[in-house]
Amino acid sequence: MSATSHSPVFLHHNDLQQLLQILQHDGYTCIGPQVRDGVIHYDHIDTVEQLPRGYGQHQQPGHYQLEPAGHDRYFAWANGPQALKPWLFSPREALWQCQAGEDKLAFEQVAAEDDPLAVFGVRACDIAALYLHDKHFLQQTHRDPGYRSRRQNLLLVAVNCSHPAETCFCASTGDGPEVHYGHDLVLSELSEGFIVQAHTEKGLSILARLPAETASQSRIAAAQASSRAAAEQQGRRLPSQDLQAALFANLDHPRWEDIARRCLSCGNCTSVCPTCFCHREFDEPSLDGQTSTHYRQWDSCFNQGHSYIHGITLRAETRLRYRQWLTHKLGSWHQQYGRSGCVGCGRCISWCPVGIDLTAEASLICTGSEA
Amino acid sequence: MNSPYLPQEARIIERIEESPGLFTLRLHFTEPKRQEAYHFEPGQFNMLYLYGVGEIPISIVSDPKDEHIIDHTIRAVGRVSQAMSRLKTGQSIGLRGPFGRGWPLQTAEGRDVVVVTGGLGCAPVVSVINYIQHRRERFGKLNIVQGVKHSSDFIWKERYDHWRQMPDTTVLLAADRGDPIWPWHVGRVTDLFDQLDFDPANVSVMLCGPEGMMHVVARQMLERNVNENEIWLSMERNMQCAVGHCGHCQYGAHFICKNGPVFSYAELQPLFGQPGF
């Protein structure tokens, strides 16, 4: 895709609905952030009224609290537990069906849904994670048909993060808070509206239909300052270098045991992680016995069955499971996909029930001191 | 787009009871074109699907030259394999494959070959031995060492008797626990290593079986100055997709299903022998 050169435009808050309408008109099913069950959650939206306008949130290790922010911005919050991942890599998905006849079996692929999807409000960390899943599911010898059909029809309206959470560290991994690739349009929110930029031809065609004006230099400068501040605000950091050697040299570090005393092996971290890709496969036969559907569902390396092999569980202890997760996420990913499997979103820290902080643990194990 | 996850129907041409809890399914794709197009390398595996129950990875035992039959020898130990053991001749199962990287037979040409297996570990190397048998002149001395826990676990006696007749071939058998009519060694496979006949500078060693056994054998081979790039091991881990997607078989950065299951000792460093991976 050619980098589109155009002057950034300014879109008033009141005109955001028009952007949504253009996407709907172009045939996109629109997905956007909204408040549900006390968190910011991504699901179908019909109107911008559904967006979490005026909300902020407070996140700490093991803590997430949505709160009124005292302003009327749409995107002045950091990510909730999920955003883009479930829309591409489905939490549960039928892969194929088998019909049973008299000593006969007939297999049929289950077609993946391929409605064009437009996702509103995607952050830089989640786009980085999307690119990692592209490598995993699409750029290897075998490609995943379901992921592929959803990915092909995806349009992203990204947002530059202006209010990172206390648990965010995307600036240190190099993945945010500003969006640099992967999007069709990107919004930077100011108090009265958005600076909008297109990154693709599709994005440009949408932008051309917006009731927008050329953005003033002062507004562009304000948006840039907001991104800089969002980066500087981040207190946590993860060494950006390849930690593979450091982690694998410390497999017997006493800290693993210390973590295991706190870790519940619940798998929350892997569920909220935008790059975790493990999934298990299972059959669900119909009640009449005529058909069996083969599903896949998210799995976690913290589950007992993940390392099961003919009667043996290789990682029976929590210590070994956490070590598997961290050595993979921050180590083996480099060899597998050319970069760390961590994009700095901080979800695993906020959503860990006991508040285990990956940045602190990695730093302790690799360098001997907390970051 | 063709799904790498979709099995195809295969018919059980014959079911053989090898020993208690151990059975062989001889399979043939129902679709003739699929059978015609099917080729595999020794050491690769297939995913076998039992209707309504699930899939398991099973190595291929038959001769790669046999275009009609695909054999799998299975021990009934888990949820799927136990249910699969009740299948009969004429019934259908799902099959997809072959998957993974097999034994380095091209690079082993011109070299001595030592095959050491434990338990049912011999299944993935039977096709190697058959391969060498059909191209005997291309390989140096062949040593086949098989160990079992109990003498009653030993199967395929005729095969070993047959291999013993091949030129330049040594066949050695051991059982941890023997019985009065077990004619071979009682003890570990490594006890027999003094009887092996190979050139350490020009040998390919192929190991299959429990990891502890492979670890001990690999160490002994290294002590005999065999290069760590010439010691090959067939690895096993939980596998559900077989194409490097589901994540269960990861071993450090390797996906056992697609980068292996056969690896050199050097490739498995530094993790080999480390619990929890």
Side-chain angles (χ1 to χ4, degrees), chain A residues 244 248 324 328 332 335-336, chain B residues 101 235 237 244 247-260 262-271:
Chain A
Q244 191 164 4
F248 283 95
Q324 167 68 20
H328 180 227
S332 309
Q335 204 178 323
Q336 291 174 333
Chain B
R101 178 183 70 167
M235 297 288 287
R237 283 297 177 271
H248 293 88
C249 72
Q250 290 178 94
Y251 188 78
H254 296 303
F255 290 87
I256 300 279
C257 69
K258 67 169 187 178
N259 305 129
V262 174
F263 292 95
S264 73
Y265 184 82
E267 287 170 329
L268 293 176
Q269 297 314 316
L271 288 185

Side-chain angles (χ1 to χ4, degrees), chain A residues 148-163:
Chain A
R148 183 168 175 261
S149 64
R150 292 183 288 268
R151 181 69 174 99
Q152 276 177 333
N153 294 309
L154 183 69
L155 183 130
L156 294 180
V157 180
V159 167
N160 284 323
C161 249
S162 55
H163 292 67

Side-chain angles (χ1 to χ4, degrees), chain A residues 213-231:
Chain A
E213 60 199 60
T214 303
S216 66
Q217 282 310 315
S218 63
R219 277 175 169 154
I220 293 171
Q224 287 166 346
S226 162
S227 278
R228 267 199 308 277

Side-chain angles (χ1 to χ4, degrees), chain A residues 103 105 144 281 283 299 323, chain B residues 5 9 11 49 240 248 275:
Chain A
D103 285 341
L105 298 176
D144 186 278
E281 297 188 17
D283 256 53
D299 197 0
R323 193 182 70 176
Chain B
Y5 310 129
E9 188 191 35
R11 188 89 63 214
Y49 168 72
Q240 305 197 13
H248 293 88

Side-chain angles (χ1 to χ4, degrees), chain B residues 178-192:
Chain B
D179 61 51
I181 56 160
W182 175 255
W184 298 289
H185 179 70
V186 176
R188 296 180 175 270
V189 284
T190 43
D191 303 341
L192 301 167

Side-chain angles (χ1 to χ4, degrees), chain A residues 27 74 86 89 100 104 159 174 197 210 262 282 295 335 345 363:
Chain A
Y74 284 95
F89 170 39
K104 273 197 72 66
V159 167
Q197 282 177 285
L210 283 174
R262 291 169 281 147
F282 61 94
Y295 286 93
Q335 204 178 323
C345 74
S363 188

